[in-house]
Structures are given as structure tokens and as C-alpha cells.
Amino acid sequence: EVQLQASGGGLVQAGGSLRLSCVGSGLIFDDYSMAWFRQAPGKEREGVSCISSSDGSIHYTDSVKGRFVISSDYVKNMVYLQMNNLKPEDTAVYYCAASSFEYCDIVVATENHYWGQGTQVTVSS
């Protein structure tokens, strides 16, 4: 059984930083594209960042470029999202996902993945 466990969310002031972590079991991370999504109140879930299983290329949605960094440790089956210079509009529930799709442009556009439970990120102004 595939399980993903996200952690690291919390309450932070604008301009602050948080590091989200996601640990997986029941799967080999190398075989999956790993991604972070988020869902703000009243909005659809959106893909934030992704690491492609095909070539390791990394994707960021435009609103987080230059502020967020995704990384992974496949030995530990971990994926991280370092979030810097947080803004109130980053407030959302963040989810990690493992996808069998090889390319991030497909990963972030679909929902057919393994999902972890969400972790709440709240950024105060």
C-alpha cells in the first residue's frame, strides 16, 4: 500500500519561511514524479512544484518561482518543499503527490496520483 505523509506546515508571518516534508512508503520514489500541490479556500487544487521521473527536471508554478525550492532524497523516500518569502496568498493546504506520469506538465494538470494528507500553511500579513 502506498502511503505519503506530509508535515511541516504552520503559521508564519509574511516574509517568513517554512519547509514541508513528505515521506513515502510502499513505493520507490525513483519510479515516480514527485509533486507538491496546494488548495486555498474556495479555489481548485493547483500544482505548485514537481520533479520529473523522466529526467529530474523541475517545474514551478509561476507564482512561486524564485521563492520555493523542491528537492528530494530518494534514499530516504523523502521530498521537500522549501518555501521562502512567503506571502498571504500562499495560504493553503499543501499536499504531496506521487505520480506515474513522467513529465511535470502532465503531473500538475491532473489529479490521478497517490496523495498524502494535507498540511496547512497559513501566512499572516
Side-chain angles (χ1 to χ4, degrees), residues 13-61:
Q13 288 188 332
S17 298
L18 284 173
R19 188 193 195 206
L20 305 184
S21 299
C22 176
V23 60
S25 60
L27 76 167
I28 299 172
F29 268 34
D30 252 353
D31 293 340
Y32 292 85
S33 295
M34 299 303 300
W36 288 95
F37 288 72
R38 67 184 179 186
Q39 187 167 23
K43 294 188 176 181
E44 293 187 351
R45 187 153 54 185
E46 66 165 341
V48 176
S49 186
C50 168
I51 300 176
S52 167
S53 63
S54 175
D55 58 5
S57 59
I58 290 176
H59 163 91
Y60 296 102
T61 193

Side-chain angles (χ1 to χ4, degrees), residues 51-118:
I51 300 176
S52 167
S53 63
S54 175
D55 58 5
S57 59
I58 290 176
H59 163 91
Y60 296 102
T61 193
D62 285 346
S63 61
V64 308
K65 285 180 181 176
R67 301 187 298 121
F68 289 12
V69 178
I70 190 171
S71 62
S72 60
D73 183 337
Y74 290 147
V75 174
K76 297 180 179 179
N77 263 17
M78 297 284 294
V79 63
Y80 307 96
L81 187 68
Q82 177 67 42
M83 306 186 295
N84 301 318
N85 190 21
L86 282 160
K87 303 177 180 181
E89 52 263 43
D90 295 318
T91 295
V93 178
Y94 284 71
Y95 301 87
C96 61
S99 177
S100 59
F101 294 108
E102 293 183 339
Y103 299 102
C104 286
D105 57 344
I106 299 175
V107 172
V108 298
T110 62
E111 297 247 329
N112 190 18
H113 314 311
Y114 293 109
W115 294 96
Q117 94 296 353

